[in-house]
């Protein structure tokens, strides 16, 4: 067994950019704008309520 274990490569995370659910919850259902903060909050553009659900 050498230092080049093959599972070190497969276990390395690719550039996925994190969890998409983080910002998907911020997308306004009315106008599609991304809110400035996590829900529950209001859309800065149209005032629609964003729920944490
Ligand atoms: Zn909106």
């Amino acid at each position: 067994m050498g230092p080049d274990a093959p599972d070190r490569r497969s276990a390395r995370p690719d550039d996925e950019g994190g969890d998409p659910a983080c910002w998907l919850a911020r997308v306004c259902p009315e106008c599609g704008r991304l809110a400035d903060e996590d829900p529950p909050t209001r859309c800065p553009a149209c005032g629609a309520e964003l729920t944490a659900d």
Side-chain angles (χ1 to χ4, degrees):
M1 287 189 191
D4 289 322
D7 45 282
R8 278 195 74 176
R9 284 185 184 174
S10 56
R12 195 183 73 184
D14 284 325
D15 256 336
E16 298 267 328
D19 188 359
C22 292
W23 58 264
L24 268 177
R26 296 188 185 185
V27 177
C28 173
E30 297 296 324
C31 69
R33 178 178 169 140
L34 205 62
D36 296 328
E37 56 187 7
D38 286 329
T41 185
R42 282 180 178 271
C43 172
C46 72
E49 268 189 73
L50 303 190
T51 62
D53 202 357

